[in-house]
Amino acid sequence: GAVVSQHPSWVICKSGTSVKIECRSLDFQATTMFWYRQFPKQSLMLMATSNEGSKATYEQGVEKDKFLINHASLTLSTLTVTSAHPEDSSFYICSAREQGSYEQYFGPGTRLTVT
Amino acid sequence: AQKITQTQPGMFVQEKEAVTLDCTYDTSDPSYGLFWYKQPSSGEMIFLIYQGSYDQQNATEGRYSLNFQKARKSANLVISASQLGDSAMYFCAMREPNTGNQFYFGTGTSLTVIP
């Protein structure tokens, strides 16, 4: 089956620093990748959709300058949380979709804690 | 309006018994897909079962079955012969082509299996 990895699986950073999270499709080419944020005991909220080689589309209320998304290749998308604050602490999950497919394959998630 | 509604924040079931987790959805798109995911405490999203809007039969995958009632716009998950390892959060989700095949998630149901 399709495998999506995320790195790191967890990260602790200081307030004001930036953190980069990688999402990789290991055995397929992902033309579209999605980034979700999940607060404790809440549902997944879509942050943005990224298509390879083009700018990401952000959901309403998500600051594009704070959450930088790059989808430079068919197997890698990155989410950079810039100038992180404690309220950015959350579980970030990516998913990837292969060209021509409707299915999304989820990564294992990255737990971010900002101190 | 909510695209996906899960009205049971928490459910308990005795081991070896069956349990039904409720999900209703809202869409005007005639073509859509319905999914159930399991999220254990580790955070990974585990795909359980899929039902297409044009599928005539209810989907089944091992101990999981989906009770699809299209006219009522409900897609309840039935887990038979519950096991202790079934304790987790369960999310219902819908894929809607007219919104770029974006996934919409419900708020989830926390299932606890009692020995």
Side-chain angles (χ1 to χ4, degrees):
Chain A
V3 180
V4 176
S5 70
Q6 278 185 245
H7 178 81
S9 54
W10 59 271
V11 57
I12 301 173
C13 71
K14 293 193 173 183
S15 190
T17 60
S18 295
V19 174
K20 181 185 283 188
I21 302 170
E22 294 185 347
C23 176
R24 292 183 185 272
S25 57
L26 299 185
D27 52 1
F28 67 99
Q29 294 189 323
T31 48
T32 305
M33 286 185 169
F34 303 86
W35 286 95
Y36 296 85
R37 180 168 52 184
Q38 185 181 29
F39 292 109
K41 299 191 185 302
Q42 294 189 25
S43 187
L44 280 73
M45 299 301 298
L46 180 65
M47 299 174 66
T49 302
S50 73
N51 292 298
E52 185 265 339
S54 61
K55 289 185 179 180
T57 303
Y58 290 81
E59 294 299 302
Q60 195 172 9
V62 178
E63 300 173 59
K64 62 178 70 174
D65 294 330
K66 179 168 186 59
F67 299 99
L68 301 178
I69 292 172
N70 184 286
H71 191 169
S73 79
L74 285 171
T75 58
L76 174 65
S77 176
T78 60
L79 166 68
T80 302
V81 183
T82 62
S83 187
H85 289 116
E87 56 265 30
D88 298 324
S89 298
S90 187
F91 192 58
Y92 292 87
I93 304 176
C94 74
S95 69
R97 189 172 74 203
E98 195 171 12
Q99 185 173 19
S101 170
Y102 294 137
E103 306 312 324
Q104 287 190 32
Y105 303 98
F106 287 86
T110 296
R111 199 166 300 280
L112 170 64
T113 302
V114 184
T115 60
Chain B
Q2 289 288 334
K3 290 279 188 181
I4 294 285
T5 302
Q6 293 181 254
T7 57
Q8 306 155 314
M11 290 282 286
F12 291 86
V13 64
Q14 203 76 40
E15 194 178 5
K16 299 179 185 175
E17 297 291 311
V19 63
T20 298
L21 307 184
D22 295 341
C23 173
T24 56
Y25 59 92
D26 182 30
T27 180
S28 57
D29 197 324
S31 175
Y32 52 88
L34 297 160
F35 301 77
W36 276 93
Y37 288 88
K38 172 184 178 181
Q39 188 181 42
S41 56
S42 59
E44 61 187 307
M45 295 290 283
I46 302 169
F47 166 76
L48 296 179
I49 197 166
Y50 167 79
Q51 180 87 40
S53 60
Y54 293 121
D55 293 343
Q56 296 293 319
Q57 307 247 14
N58 285 343
T60 60
E61 289 286 348
R63 294 187 298 111
Y64 305 107
S65 60
L66 200 150
N67 184 358
F68 182 44
Q69 297 188 43
K70 196 169 182 177
R72 296 178 61 184
K73 291 189 175 178
S74 76
N76 299 339
L77 175 71
V78 180
I79 305 175
S80 62
S82 297
Q83 302 172 356
L84 295 178
D86 294 335
S87 294
M89 282 291 291
Y90 288 81
F91 290 97
C92 179
M94 177 174 68
R95 169 179 45 79
E96 211 180 27
N98 68 4
T99 54
N101 286 305
Q102 179 178 320
F103 272 40
Y104 297 93
F105 286 88
T107 50
T109 296
S110 175
L111 177 67
T112 302
V113 180
I114 304 166

